[in-house]
């Protein structure tokens, strides 16, 4: 796996050098930065990675705004600060989002997210978390961590409040040790628009996988990486202050269309937290494919996961136009009148025949 983790290793080296004080490591930092402007080869001619600036965001957060000329758009209570973008403050009933305005047509990519979740709430008295999105629709507020339900695409959730566990406690029921999850918890979901995120069960019925991630009120940086290569989805995290990536989710056979949008969102309810995004960095990964893989990895038009049955979307019937509705009513009336006339004629003939028999 070492030959395919170029951006991850480069990022780790960069952060280690950034925290160093001696001159030799600072020199290494300058060399890394100098070489990071162009493509970098990883392994023996297997993978190249490129930083895609149109899909990336870092300080001083230029290109963020509400206008059509901005690369990134804010929504709701999201605010641009000097050191971070705050999706929601540590206040109740807030909702905010940050969306890339440029659709992503990359085939293989890696998104590195530098974030921070912190607040005044004590254990299990904080919420609700944040989400990272790669979806067909953007800027659509809703109940799923500040985004719309029944989304189309990929959602990665950093959930900080155990809704299902609290409901079980209220009903004086307990999980078995093999079922209970420890929060905060990272999970992923692929949706074709037919599934609802079950907030009361913390997304358990539709999750692809997950892991515990203690990310609140830490005094060091927290990172999450989402990697999509050859229809293989990998999610890793660096949340221990050791500059090391730890596996969280790995799912093969994930089929994501191109042309979707990257974004991140958050929501608070009765409980709250500060949900901050420090940077989003997207790398294009140029990966060699065999002719067989080229045939297998053709573009798809609807998200799906191999060996996982998603309900098929049923397109709603288009509304009838005024003319169509008039014609339906008109011909219904004509048919009714015609049926009544035929009924009267048949009734009169029946009466005439009855009279003849009588006489």
């Amino acid at each position: 796996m070492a030959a395919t983790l170029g951006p991850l290793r480069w990022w780790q080296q960069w952060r280690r050098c950034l925290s160093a004080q001696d001159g030799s490591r600072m020199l290494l930092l300058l060399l890394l930065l100098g070489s990071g402007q162009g493509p970098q080869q990883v392994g023996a001619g297997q993978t190249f990675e490129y930083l895609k600036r149109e899909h990336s965001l870092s300080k001083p957060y230029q290109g963020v705004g509400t206008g059509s000329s901005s690369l990134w758009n804010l929504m709701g209570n999201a605010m641009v600060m000097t050191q971070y973008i705050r999706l929601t403050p540590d206040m109740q009933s807030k909702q905010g989002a940050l969306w890339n305005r440029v659709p992503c047509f990359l085939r293989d990519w890696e998104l590195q997210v530098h974030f921070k979740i912190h607040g005044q709430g004590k254990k299990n008295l904080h919420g609700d978390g944040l989400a990272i999105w790669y979806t067909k629709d953007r800027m659509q507020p809703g109940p799923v961590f500040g985004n719309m339900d029944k989304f189309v695409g990929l959602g990665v959730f950093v959930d900080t409040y155990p809704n299902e566990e609290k409901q079980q406690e209220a009903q004086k029921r307990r999980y078995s040790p093999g079922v209970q999850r420890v929060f905060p918890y990272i999970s992923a979901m692929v949706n074709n628009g037919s599934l609802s995120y079950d907030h009361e069960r913390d997304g358990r019925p539709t999750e692809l996988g997950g892991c515990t991630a203690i990310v609140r009120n830490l005094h060091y940086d927290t990172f999450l990486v989402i990697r999509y290569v050859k229809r293989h989805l990998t999610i890793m995290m660096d949340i221990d202050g050791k500059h090391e990536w730890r596996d969280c989710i790995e799912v093969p056979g994930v089929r994501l269309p191109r042309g979707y949008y990257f974004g991140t969102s958050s929501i608070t309810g009765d409980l709250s937290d500060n949900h901050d995004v420090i940077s989003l960095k997207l790398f294009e990964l140029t990966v060699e494919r065999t002719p067989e893989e080229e045939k297998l990895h053709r573009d798809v038009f609807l998200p799906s996961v191999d060996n996982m049955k998603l309900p098929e979307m049923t397109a709603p019937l288009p509304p009838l136009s005024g003319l169509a509705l008039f014609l339906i009513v008109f011909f219904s009336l004509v048919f009714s009148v015609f049926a009544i006339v035929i009924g009267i004629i048949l009734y009169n003939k029946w009466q005439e025949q009855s009279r003849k028999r009588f006489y």
Side-chain angles (χ1 to χ4, degrees):
M1 193 170 182
T4 60
L5 291 180
L8 302 182
R9 292 193 168 194
W10 180 86
W11 187 242
Q12 289 171 348
Q13 292 175 4
W14 186 87
R15 284 160 48 209
R16 285 170 179 163
C17 292
L18 187 62
S19 60
Q21 299 297 325
D22 58 284
S24 61
R25 289 196 174 185
M26 291 305 295
L27 178 60
L28 178 59
L29 169 62
L30 295 176
L31 292 175
L32 284 171
L33 289 176
S35 63
Q37 298 300 320
Q40 296 183 2
Q41 185 176 0
V42 183
Q46 296 181 12
T47 305
F48 288 88
E49 59 89 5
Y50 307 81
L51 176 66
K52 306 302 288 184
R53 300 187 183 279
E54 67 271 25
H55 302 297
S56 300
L57 179 69
S58 59
K59 292 181 284 188
Y61 306 121
Q62 296 178 351
V64 179
T66 57
S68 59
S69 61
S70 303
L71 289 177
W72 292 85
N73 294 141
L74 298 175
M75 186 175 67
N77 301 112
M79 299 179 294
V80 179
M81 315 298 282
T82 56
Q83 299 298 318
Y84 50 82
I85 293 179
R86 177 152 291 171
L87 300 177
T88 58
D90 191 0
M91 299 173 64
Q92 294 180 337
S93 302
K94 299 298 180 180
Q95 180 174 311
L98 172 70
W99 283 95
N100 192 198
R101 195 174 60 85
V102 183
C104 177
F105 290 94
L106 302 182
R107 196 174 187 180
D108 305 286
W109 47 266
E110 177 181 289
L111 179 66
Q112 297 175 3
V113 184
H114 183 187
F115 68 98
K116 187 176 182 64
I117 300 176
H118 57 104
Q120 300 296 321
K122 302 301 180 182
K123 182 179 180 181
N124 291 337
L125 292 176
H126 48 78
D128 284 324
L130 61 84
I132 301 127
W133 304 98
Y134 175 69
T135 56
K136 180 180 179 180
D137 302 298
R138 61 187 291 273
M139 304 289 285
Q140 299 294 324
V144 185
F145 294 91
N147 191 38
M148 63 182 292
D149 196 8
K150 295 189 176 181
F151 60 90
V152 178
L154 169 69
V156 177
F157 312 117
V158 184
D159 195 346
T160 58
Y161 184 76
N163 292 282
E164 187 175 16
E165 179 181 335
K166 293 304 178 183
Q167 289 183 4
Q168 296 286 337
E169 291 178 358
Q171 297 172 6
K172 297 182 179 181
R173 297 169 57 188
R174 290 188 177 183
Y175 282 114
S176 62
V179 177
Q180 186 174 11
R181 297 183 294 184
V182 179
F183 280 71
Y185 188 84
I186 296 176
S187 64
M189 174 182 175
V190 169
N191 198 352
N192 61 4
S194 65
L195 300 175
S196 289
Y197 178 84
D198 191 342
H199 190 72
E200 299 301 321
R201 298 190 61 194
D202 303 307
R204 186 190 293 264
T206 54
E207 76 169 31
L208 297 177
C211 66
T212 296
I214 308 303
V215 295
R216 286 194 72 252
N217 289 339
L218 300 180
H219 300 293
Y220 44 82
D221 293 332
T222 50
F223 298 86
L224 183 71
V225 63
I226 305 170
R227 204 162 197 266
Y228 183 66
V229 177
K230 292 185 177 181
R231 294 187 173 172
H232 199 103
L233 178 68
T234 304
I235 298 174
M236 292 179 284
M237 55 187 178
D238 177 3
I239 60 173
D240 301 318
K242 299 178 181 179
H243 307 305
E244 295 178 355
W245 294 104
R246 179 151 55 91
D247 293 338
C248 178
I249 301 171
E250 190 168 355
V251 185
V254 176
R255 302 168 184 264
L256 298 176
R258 293 196 272 184
Y260 284 9
Y261 297 92
F262 287 106
T264 178
S265 65
S266 179
I267 193 171
T268 65
D270 294 334
L271 303 176
S272 62
D273 254 340
N274 295 306
H275 299 94
D276 302 335
V277 173
I278 293 92
S279 68
L280 295 163
K281 295 185 178 181
L282 185 76
F283 293 88
E284 178 183 10
L285 304 179
T286 304
V287 183
E288 292 183 354
R289 282 179 168 83
T290 63
E292 292 75 15
E293 288 177 330
E294 289 289 349
K295 293 179 181 179
L296 292 173
H297 297 171
R298 292 177 179 173
D299 287 348
V300 296
F301 301 98
L302 202 62
S304 65
V305 181
D306 292 350
N307 302 320
M308 179 180 177
K309 181 66 175 177
L310 296 179
E312 295 183 359
M313 287 290 294
T314 56
L317 295 175
L320 295 174
S321 64
L323 177 60
L325 185 61
F326 169 77
L327 292 176
I328 290 174
V329 173
F330 174 77
F331 284 109
S332 297
L333 291 174
V334 170
F335 177 79
S336 299
V337 172
F338 180 77
I340 292 172
V341 170
I342 295 297
I344 293 173
I345 294 172
L346 292 176
Y347 178 74
N348 290 334
K349 286 186 176 181
W350 177 79
Q351 281 190 329
E352 289 179 0
Q353 291 178 356
S354 298
R355 291 194 193 100
K356 290 179 180 179
R357 289 174 187 165
F358 180 77
Y359 292 107

